[in-house]
Amino acid sequence: MNGLGADKQTITSPVTHLQVELPEGKMLAFGRRVPNTIGVAPDGRTIAVAVADRGSSLDYYTESTIDTRLWLRSLDAEEGRIVAGSDGAMQPFFSPDGRWVAFFARGTLRKALVAGGGVVETVCEADDPWGGNWSEEDTIVFSSSRTEGLVTQRVPAAGGTPVMMFELETATGEQEHNFPSLLPGGRSVLYMAWRAGETSFARTLGYDLVSGRRTTLVEGGLRPEFHPPYLLYNVGPKLFGAPMTVDPPALDGSSVELSKNLLVDPDYDAGQWSASPGGTLVYASGGHPQTDQELVWVDLDRSLEGILESKKTIRSARIAGGERILFANIDVNADIFAHDLRRGTTRRLTVDPTWDGTPVPSRRGDRIAFSSYRAGSEQFFIIQPDGAITQPLEAEGTRFPTSWSRDDRWLAYTDRNPSTMTDIWLLAMDEDDTEPFPLVATSATEGEAAFSPVADVVAYVSDESGSPEVWMRSFPAKPGDSAQLVSSGGGSGPLWARDGRQLFFHSGGGLVAVEVTYEPVLRLGQPRLVLDDPTLRVTDIASDGRLLAIKSKPMPEVTTLNVILGFDRLLQKSSN
């Protein structure tokens, strides 16, 4: 029957698949150790994407200097816009009303109005972030590092001091909490538990804030998002959805595959996707990128000589005593290996079910400092000349080594502190019962200390000027001395030439060198670009001037995103 008095019939919109092109000359800001690059507004009409210039080198292990921006696009508009002041943006997500977009950038959690016209506001500090969510209570729940580890925290969206919501369950092997969100009603938190370097350990859980009960929802589930009544998560390159109840958190049906070729981070399998309660799913395709890497020598004429190939991810390669290269390999787990340059043989130095990394050899090469989670949180240990492993400093928090002084007396390490952020501390290595003390500890973020091999000078990275730059200062500080700015336009990973006459650092995907003279006063030359190859990451300098580098296959340049309008109806059909 037609007419004004006719019974109304429900018209169901069809499921729609479409694609969105990123701006010309831009690509998805995808590299190694990338938690997420995409956010979708609650109404499903606007997306936020972290983008970078095509050809850029993006390695989130050096997150402080990545050159990214946040791009906003309404699906019913012809083009989007870059958010002014979003330099270094990563991991975007929206407020419940869709008026604000939040994101992490260079050690902070920030927010900006979607409509534009305002400055980007800082919500709080956030070191090494791994996921955030803006709740209906106008609270932001997120994961980042503090002295207790990589844990779930909450902060008012208007800004304030983050508060840890609940502790790691170390008895079950948890070492990190990732991608947390408050479930409807505010009683439970959805999150992913992780053990560093072990993708197989990942699982999605619900935590009851009242009872403290934890419920495992998906073994192997990564990047969980709840869009009532469905839980979405990925396992490797496959994206799934399953019906879920909230009180208590529990799956209420079978999982359904939504995509089998999701682009995932090569080291941690974090999927590049996001969705909304409005039924919009946005994701990047590409599967698991090839992770083959190679240790190489780079001559001053930029010719390459292979040292060692690996099917795994190589991290933190350093030269020890001129005859060995120390490096960490990340596969199911991470351990430290030594490669003998004369014999061409490689042997494992650490064997532990937890993550071991960042090997730092002493100047003589007889001792090796490294970081490990074997104490529950990231701490540093020493491999002694006889092979014994000791822990010189037993304390709570997060600490990892970066450099030995020229006489091997001092070990510089980075200490994460929720009140002063990341600082540089020193520990006397040959003196019993000595307490560590701060070398550089301010309200700014400092780290990556590197001692000169020939003088009492230390280079380090600080964002005291507003962005991460390389600085240099005397040690111990002399009356009237002040730190000197080395880089301009961003800098990270300072490395010294063996004769101490040049300091190298990374900037904008390239390697820059600065001449250094010590007498009659400490003086710096003009920075000059010496290597510009995004596939090479220089990690040390040999005595003959050759550069030790990790050569990686380029990550895929993604310029198109896939969109499914009505993904919830796909799940409904499969459950019927």
Side-chain angles (χ1 to χ4, degrees), residues 13-17 258 276 278-281 563-573:
S13 301
V15 177
T16 303
H17 296 257
L258 290 168
S276 78
T280 300
L281 169 65
V563 180
I564 300 178
L565 303 179
F567 77 85
D568 51 339
R569 291 190 287 279
L570 289 176
L571 297 177
Q572 289 172 4
K573 290 178 182 178

Side-chain angles (χ1 to χ4, degrees), residues 550-569:
I550 300 171
K551 182 175 178 57
S552 304
K553 289 190 175 182
M555 291 292 102
E557 292 194 359
V558 177
T559 59
T560 302
L561 298 178
N562 303 296
V563 180
I564 300 178
L565 303 179
F567 77 85
D568 51 339
R569 291 190 287 279

Side-chain angles (χ1 to χ4, degrees), residues 57-67 106 315 402 445-450 459-463 467-471 485-496 503-514 527 536-541:
S57 175
L58 295 171
D59 188 333
Y60 285 71
Y61 284 92
T62 54
E63 177 263 330
S64 62
T65 58
I66 58 170
D67 191 13
R106 295 175 180 168
R315 308 304 312 173
T402 61
T445 297
E446 300 102 2
E448 302 183 69
Y460 61 97
V461 176
S462 172
D463 64 0
S467 61
E469 302 283 0
V470 176
W471 295 75
L485 182 62
V486 180
S487 62
S488 177
S492 68
L495 300 166
W496 288 94
L503 178 69
F504 297 81
F505 60 89
H506 295 89
S507 181
L511 188 71
V512 176
V514 173
L536 295 172
R537 183 167 56 86
V538 178
T539 61
D540 209 344
I541 317 294

Side-chain angles (χ1 to χ4, degrees), residues 83-214:
V83 176
S86 63
D87 301 33
M90 56 192 292
Q91 306 179 58
F93 55 95
F94 287 84
S95 61
D97 60 11
R99 294 182 61 244
W100 293 86
V101 60
F103 57 94
F104 298 98
R106 295 175 180 168
T108 61
L109 170 60
R110 305 178 188 180
K111 65 179 184 179
L113 284 168
V114 172
V119 297
V120 171
E121 300 179 18
T122 297
V123 177
C124 65
E125 304 291 335
D127 187 36
D128 193 21
W130 276 80
N133 175 265
W134 197 318
S135 73
E136 293 287 350
E137 292 81 5
D138 211 27
T139 295
I140 294 178
V141 177
F142 67 100
S143 171
S144 76
S145 288
R146 48 190 288 154
T147 55
E148 298 87 351
L150 197 69
V151 293
T152 300
Q153 303 168 63
R154 69 192 308 167
V155 65
T161 301
V163 176
M164 185 175 71
M165 298 183 68
F166 54 97
E167 296 180 346
L168 295 166
E169 193 176 33
T170 55
T172 63
E174 283 186 5
Q175 294 176 348
E176 297 179 9
H177 291 165
N178 304 150
F179 311 111
S181 60
L182 270 178
L183 292 174
R187 178 184 173 115
S188 297
V189 175
L190 179 72
Y191 73 101
M192 187 191 97
W194 178 265
R195 188 156 62 200
E198 295 187 59
T199 303
S200 60
F201 180 86
R203 59 186 189 270
T204 292
L205 299 97
Y207 178 84
D208 190 308
L209 294 169
V210 178
S211 68
R213 180 183 178 185
R214 303 173 200 243

Side-chain angles (χ1 to χ4, degrees), residues 35-86:
N36 190 33
T37 53
I38 303 167
V40 183
D43 64 5
R45 296 180 179 179
T46 303
I47 63 175
V49 185
V51 298
D53 292 337
R54 296 193 64 175
S56 299
S57 175
L58 295 171
D59 188 333
Y60 285 71
Y61 284 92
T62 54
E63 177 263 330
S64 62
T65 58
I66 58 170
D67 191 13
T68 62
R69 303 289 187 277
L70 194 65
W71 180 68
L72 292 176
R73 163 75 188 275
S74 173
L75 294 180
D76 58 6
E78 292 186 1
E79 57 185 31
R81 69 176 180 88
I82 297 293
V83 176
S86 63

Side-chain angles (χ1 to χ4, degrees), residues 308-330:
L308 177 70
E309 293 184 355
S310 175
K311 298 293 183 182
K312 305 172 184 177
T313 296
I314 303 175
R315 308 304 312 173
S316 311
R318 301 288 288 270
I319 303 169
E323 297 181 348
R324 294 187 300 166
I325 293 178
L326 308 176
F327 63 95
N329 249 15
I330 300 177

